[in-house]
Amino acid sequence: MAKAAAASPALNPVIVIAGPELYLRNEHLAAIKATLFGKDDPGMGLVRIDAKALGGAAITAILDECRMPSMFAPQKLVIVEPADMLFKKGGGGGGDDDAGDDTGDSGRNRELLENYIESPTETATLVLVCTNWLKTTRVHKQLDKLGAVKWCDPIKDAQAPAWITKRARDAHNKQIEPVAAQRLAELIGPDLQRLDNELAKLSLYEPDAPVINVKAVDDLVGFQHEQQIWDMINALAARDAKTALKKIDELWALDPKIEYTVSGAIFVWLGQVLKARELVDRRMNDGMITKELKLWPPERAAKVLTLARAWGLAGAARWSQEMLAMDVANKSGLGEPRRNLERFIMTLCET
């Protein structure tokens, strides 16, 4: 077996970027480009190919492109995105995934790729970007042995704070308080692109501060769309389902990924009502409760106290538990988050 020659001292000649997380895909592609071209414009050295557009001869055309030296660049980067259809059941069968586009015999495609991996072109790096990638094929075993499969799976909710901490340090040269990382994760969820965008803004919020604290997260991130969220919560407090659902429509129109921010705000509100009821039962007066819970502005404080008295301790605890159950359902993939929230609103308002 011929030894695979490297297109670059730091890169394998064939790389697979596999998984649905677009942010991680882009990060890997950016790192590969930087390794090959540095800060220079890749120009004619960068070739992008859509395998679907090439039809049944796709793999042959892709490998021919890799073997053809670039007239204008010493190194060539060939990116095939998406590349899934090369390995799906097609014209010749033998595929590993769902039935897909007719891009030729997937078994033959793998065989041609296996042969190329054993004797690659020294001046080209081939990158295959796939949403799905099987670990049971010979191609995978060849590439995995070389460390050439880059996985791009979404992170889970529980992994978000650790990712935030590492990203703040590595990409933005900032430390972040554990409670601030947790708060940011609760507000945004495990959406890596949005988390990185917020970290970039937070790193500039107090540029001379070495640490991002929870106050900065609340000031800059926690109160985005604050007025619309509080309008929705005020409608909930009044058991006005029509207005609350209308506000949900407005919030989702502003930001389709706002579910974590909205759910977090409702959790905070319900927690305030529950805690206020506990303090009422301890015979604290309204002024002391407002100060203790930092309820502001006064009209919101009044509404929290009114609900605390109307619901009682059992009622306040019930809605906190209902909200927690909805959050667990969302994180378990049971129903669509927006629909779950709308059902919660209807249940609360109709009770």
Side-chain angles (χ1 to χ4, degrees):
M1 180 183 294
K3 184 178 179 180
S8 165
L11 290 176
N12 287 290
V14 179
I15 299 170
V16 170
I17 297 176
E21 177 54 67
L22 184 60
Y23 175 83
L24 293 178
R25 286 190 193 181
N26 290 335
E27 286 284 292
H28 284 303
L29 285 173
I32 291 168
K33 290 178 190 175
T35 300
L36 279 178
F37 306 113
K39 296 182 179 180
D40 297 335
D41 183 352
M44 300 296 289
L46 175 60
V47 179
R48 288 187 173 273
I49 296 176
D50 180 352
K52 183 178 179 180
L54 296 177
I59 191 66
T60 301
I62 290 165
L63 297 180
D64 284 348
E65 180 65 49
C66 292
R67 294 184 178 108
M68 183 184 302
S70 173
M71 296 177 62
F72 304 100
Q75 291 286 336
K76 180 189 286 188
L77 175 59
V78 180
I79 299 174
V80 183
E81 184 177 11
D84 298 76
M85 53 281 301
L86 293 173
F87 310 107
K88 287 185 176 182
K89 293 178 181 178
D96 51 55
D97 296 315
D98 301 330
D101 300 284
D102 184 1
T103 53
D105 185 337
S106 58
R108 175 176 170 273
N109 288 350
R110 285 200 205 89
E111 182 180 354
L112 290 172
L113 185 58
E114 289 165 11
N115 293 337
Y116 180 81
I117 292 169
E118 291 179 0
S119 183
T121 303
E122 295 185 2
T123 56
T125 298
L126 171 62
V127 179
L128 304 172
V129 183
C130 306
T131 299
N132 300 298
W133 180 256
L134 282 186
K135 298 180 180 180
T136 55
T137 63
R138 287 193 300 272
V139 169
H140 171 76
K141 292 173 183 176
Q142 281 178 296
L143 294 175
D144 190 49
K145 183 169 60 176
L146 299 171
V149 180
K150 311 297 182 183
W151 294 105
C152 301
D153 295 322
I155 65 171
K156 299 184 183 301
D157 289 7
Q159 297 172 310
W163 187 91
I164 290 167
T165 300
K166 185 176 186 301
R167 184 66 180 175
R169 181 186 66 241
D170 295 348
H172 304 287
N173 197 30
K174 289 277 190 177
Q175 301 297 314
I176 183 168
E177 294 177 347
V179 67
Q182 182 65 41
R183 176 71 171 145
L184 184 58
E186 290 170 355
L187 288 168
I188 302 299
D191 185 322
L192 299 186
Q193 186 62 66
R194 291 189 67 206
L195 286 172
D196 191 47
N197 290 344
E198 296 302 333
L199 283 172
K201 289 189 286 186
L202 285 163
S203 69
L204 298 173
Y205 183 58
E206 294 179 349
D208 296 329
V211 179
I212 298 170
N213 58 37
V214 71
K215 182 180 183 302
V217 173
D218 281 337
D219 287 348
L220 198 62
V221 183
F223 294 102
Q224 292 177 2
H225 314 310
E226 179 188 16
Q227 187 57 54
Q228 293 92 335
I229 290 173
W230 274 109
D231 287 345
M232 183 269 296
I233 288 176
N234 287 337
L236 272 179
R239 284 189 160 88
D240 181 354
K242 182 178 179 180
T243 299
L245 292 173
K246 180 181 178 183
K247 292 300 174 183
I248 289 294
D249 289 340
E250 293 175 0
L251 285 163
W252 254 258
L254 288 168
D255 184 354
K257 297 182 178 180
I258 203 171
E259 64 194 69
Y260 285 92
T261 304
V262 174
S263 296
I266 296 175
F267 265 126
V268 170
W269 169 63
L270 290 172
Q272 288 175 338
V273 174
L274 179 59
K275 186 63 177 177
R277 180 64 211 195
E278 292 173 350
L279 297 180
V280 166
D281 288 348
R282 286 164 52 184
R283 301 187 182 280
M284 290 179 65
N285 63 43
D286 288 2
M288 293 174 65
I289 294 172
T290 298
K291 184 177 180 180
E292 175 75 16
L293 299 183
K294 298 181 174 63
L295 300 177
W296 184 263
E299 58 269 23
R300 290 181 189 165
K303 289 176 180 177
V304 166
L305 290 165
T306 298
L307 276 180
R309 291 189 170 91
W311 284 356
L313 191 59
R318 174 197 170 181
W319 294 116
S320 292
Q321 291 164 359
E322 291 272 1
M323 191 67 189
L324 179 60
M326 187 203 78
D327 186 57
V328 171
N330 289 344
K331 292 174 180 176
S332 303
L334 301 177
E336 196 273 323
R338 177 175 174 178
R339 301 299 171 228
N340 288 342
L341 181 57
E342 289 172 341
R343 280 192 289 272
F344 172 83
I345 289 171
M346 293 301 298
T347 302
L348 188 152
C349 291
E350 292 176 355
T351 300

